Amino acid sequence: MSEFTVLNPATERPVTTVAQADAEETDAAIARAVTAQQAWRAVAPGDRAALLRRFAAAVDAHIGELADLEVAGSGHPLGQATWEAGHVRDVLLYYSATPERLIGKQIPVPGGLNVTFHEPVGVVGLIVPWNFPMPIFSWGMAPALASGNTVVAKPAQLTPLTAIRIAELALDAGLPEGVLQVLPGQGSVVGQRLVDHPQVRKIVFTGSTEVGSQVMAGCARYIKRVTLELGGKSANIVFADSDLDRAAATAPYAVFDNAGQDCCARSRILVQHSVLDRFMELLEPAVKNVAVGDPADPGTEMGPLISAAHRQHVASYVPDGAPVAFRGSAPDGPGFWFPPTVLAPVGADDPAYTEEVFGPVVTVTPFEDEADAVAIANDTPYGLSGSIWTSDVGRAIRVSRAVETGALSVNSHSSVRYWTPFGGFKQSGLGRELGPDAPDAFTETKNVFIATD
Ligand code: TAP
């Protein structure tokens, strides 16, 4: 059996080793999930809801432990990791209301009545990336379970520890064996098998657009349902009429959160030309004040990158001679550190401007007017997130409608909430997660005619 050594990204020291599942073990887990699903879908809605609430309570009782695991295994700052563990609890609680609300319609028709039912799809394969191991795991897992499906989840190879622990907590809370299984292993082995296996009826994939495209092609073989949450290159658009102080003070957190390893990172700041110089004066101290360091320190705002290989990839966007306007700090010594970096001015063909860096690197580009801002924001194959800063309500709405992206914020740098829909336009993905309609993606609508004549 092969093993993978999880490293602490802040120290480069081993945390633990994790056994890697192979294709046969994946098949066995899928078979268990198929069997368990028959019983799970038959659990009375109120009882399924109660089990999910007990699962949420078990997570709540272990928030500190889960946060410590994420600090050690993923390098997330303690405050963020604690929030993420609480988020898993909240997502479970939110979707614990689903089982009792999966109601259909009754439609009068000549000679009878049609009724509709929401039937679970069956076994759901959940493929999770390394950047937000807990939240993204919960976004697919909770609505899938609530809708009567069973789940086989593959965490990222680099960051499996919290998902493994959360699945243990599910068992402790009374979820039956086989309802939620976590299978650590390689994407090309376990993830690929979930995609290729005919009895996995839906794939929820979060990760790169490149792998997402392969997953979608694989799902086509069995007309498998698929939700894709992929990359991003989002714009933070700052108009001259905005509260410039707030826009500049929050801009670092809009892109350097989780060391920039965030699909929603606003990694292109677009600033109206007339206020560019003032904005840069305000941005510089904000960037330099980001507290980068030991993730276990409660005061830390930004930790290390996930791996040596990823740091090398991020560094390739800031070669010698790159137009660095200013940078924040980062510790020396062991750890995959990279300082917050602002590039300006950048050429329109600079890879740091056109590609998803997935690290703490942001470009600043001026624009002339509203039409120019929208055109620049949309000049990317991605469309996941973004922000608009303005004091003109009409402009806020006009630009929100014109930017081709799934989750925007006006006069705020954050746009992801579990009770509102989340997902991308264009090559940023397919389908929507979160919000009240998420269970629709985990059920099939069945339509039954009942003759009365
Ligand atoms: P990927 O390399 O695409 O990996 C994502 C997941 O897919 C991992 O669990 C990976 O396993 C697995 N995988 C790899 N090859 C596979 C295959 N052939 N079949 C099935 N699964 C396979 O992405 P990443 O580098 O981990 O994550 C970064 C990317 O995710 C960025 O582009 C980021 O924008 C995107 N992302 C998007 C969102 C949303 S919500 N839109 C959120 C977070 C991240 P291994 O770990 O074992 O390779």
Side-chain angles (χ1 to χ4, degrees):
M1 179 189 289
S2 70
E3 290 190 325
F4 183 83
T5 301
V6 176
L7 293 183
N8 182 326
T11 63
E12 304 183 33
R13 290 200 205 105
V15 179
T16 187
T17 55
V18 175
Q20 303 292 281
D22 58 20
E24 288 72 37
E25 285 162 319
T26 309
D27 285 355
I30 294 167
R32 285 193 293 275
V34 169
T35 304
Q37 203 260 329
Q38 295 308 314
W40 181 240
R41 66 173 293 172
V43 172
D47 294 341
R48 209 181 317 135
L51 280 169
L52 291 173
R53 286 195 287 270
R54 282 178 55 180
F55 183 10
V59 171
D60 187 55
H62 293 83
I63 283 185
E65 179 196 342
L66 289 167
D68 288 345
L69 272 180
E70 208 68 288
V71 170
S74 309
H76 288 201
L78 182 60
Q80 181 183 319
T82 305
W83 179 88
E84 289 166 358
H87 182 80
V88 175
R89 171 205 56 214
D90 294 344
V91 171
L92 280 166
L93 284 176
Y94 181 74
Y95 287 110
S96 72
T98 293
E100 292 165 302
R101 287 168 176 74
L102 274 181
I103 51 175
K105 292 184 173 137
Q106 52 87 6
I107 307 166
V109 294
L113 176 72
N114 275 55
V115 290
T116 65
F117 298 89
H118 291 290
E119 306 290 9
V121 295
V123 177
V124 173
L126 179 55
I127 301 173
V128 181
W130 49 259
N131 62 332
F132 288 113
M134 283 195 277
I136 293 173
F137 175 50
S138 72
W139 296 355
M141 176 263 286
L145 295 180
S147 311
N149 306 281
T150 51
V151 171
V152 181
K154 193 209 88 67
Q157 203 177 21
L158 294 170
T159 58
L161 303 182
T162 44
I164 293 171
R165 186 68 187 115
I166 290 169
E168 291 170 359
L169 294 173
L171 281 179
D172 294 348
L175 264 74
E177 294 270 353
V179 167
L180 172 61
Q181 299 175 81
V182 169
L183 279 193
Q186 282 184 318
S188 56
V189 178
V190 178
Q192 191 68 51
R193 191 64 193 137
L194 291 173
V195 170
D196 291 340
H197 198 295
Q199 286 183 294
V200 175
R201 294 283 168 74
K202 174 169 174 114
I203 293 289
V204 178
F205 173 86
T206 305
S208 61
T209 298
E210 186 188 358
V211 177
S213 163
Q214 293 167 26
V215 166
M216 190 174 178
C219 287
R221 184 168 172 211
Y222 295 110
I223 321 295
K224 193 171 287 194
R225 277 65 181 142
V226 62
T227 300
L228 301 172
E229 294 289 0
L230 309 175
K233 189 69 186 171
S234 299
N236 190 356
I237 308 171
V238 182
F239 285 97
D241 66 2
S242 66
D243 179 342
L244 223 51
D245 292 284
R246 269 185 68 207
T250 57
Y253 302 98
V255 58
F256 302 144
D257 180 45
N258 202 26
Q261 303 165 124
D262 182 344
C263 53
C264 289
R266 279 81 164 154
S267 55
R268 292 183 298 151
I269 303 177
L270 312 183
V271 186
Q272 196 150 16
H273 208 283
S274 55
V275 292
L276 179 65
D277 290 345
R278 178 65 188 141
F279 180 84
M280 292 301 268
E281 281 169 17
L282 294 166
L283 182 64
E284 182 164 357
V287 168
K288 291 186 170 167
N289 284 337
V290 175
V292 184
D294 179 4
D297 180 337
T300 293
E301 295 177 312
M302 190 183 118
L305 294 171
I306 189 67
S307 65
H310 189 56
R311 178 172 59 182
Q312 200 175 0
H313 172 73
V314 171
S316 72
Y317 290 97
V318 191
D320 288 345
V324 175
F326 40 84
R327 303 185 99 157
S329 62
D332 294 325
F336 309 124
W337 303 102
F338 199 88
T341 301
V342 179
L343 300 179
V346 285
D349 58 351
D350 188 325
Y353 175 73
T354 58
E355 296 176 15
E356 182 181 43
V357 177
F358 225 53
V361 178
V362 68
T363 59
V364 182
T365 299
F367 66 86
E368 293 304 326
D369 56 19
E370 196 176 304
D372 195 25
V374 169
I376 297 173
N378 286 341
D379 187 18
T380 166
Y382 296 114
L384 188 58
S385 192
S387 291
I388 298 156
W389 293 84
T390 177
S391 57
D392 178 338
V393 176
R395 167 177 283 152
I397 294 172
R398 277 195 309 275
V399 177
S400 295
R401 297 293 306 272
V403 175
E404 298 165 341
T405 188
L408 275 163
S409 54
V410 174
N411 296 331
S412 162
H413 68 288
S414 76
S415 51
V416 181
R417 288 169 190 84
Y418 59 79
W419 61 97
T420 62
F422 178 65
F425 279 34
K426 301 192 283 187
Q427 292 179 32
S428 284
L430 186 70
R432 291 291 176 274
E433 297 188 286
L434 302 177
D437 299 330
D440 290 352
F442 294 97
T443 56
E444 300 280 16
T445 300
K446 181 179 287 166
N447 177 23
V448 178
F449 170 67
I450 304 165
T452 52
D453 296 343

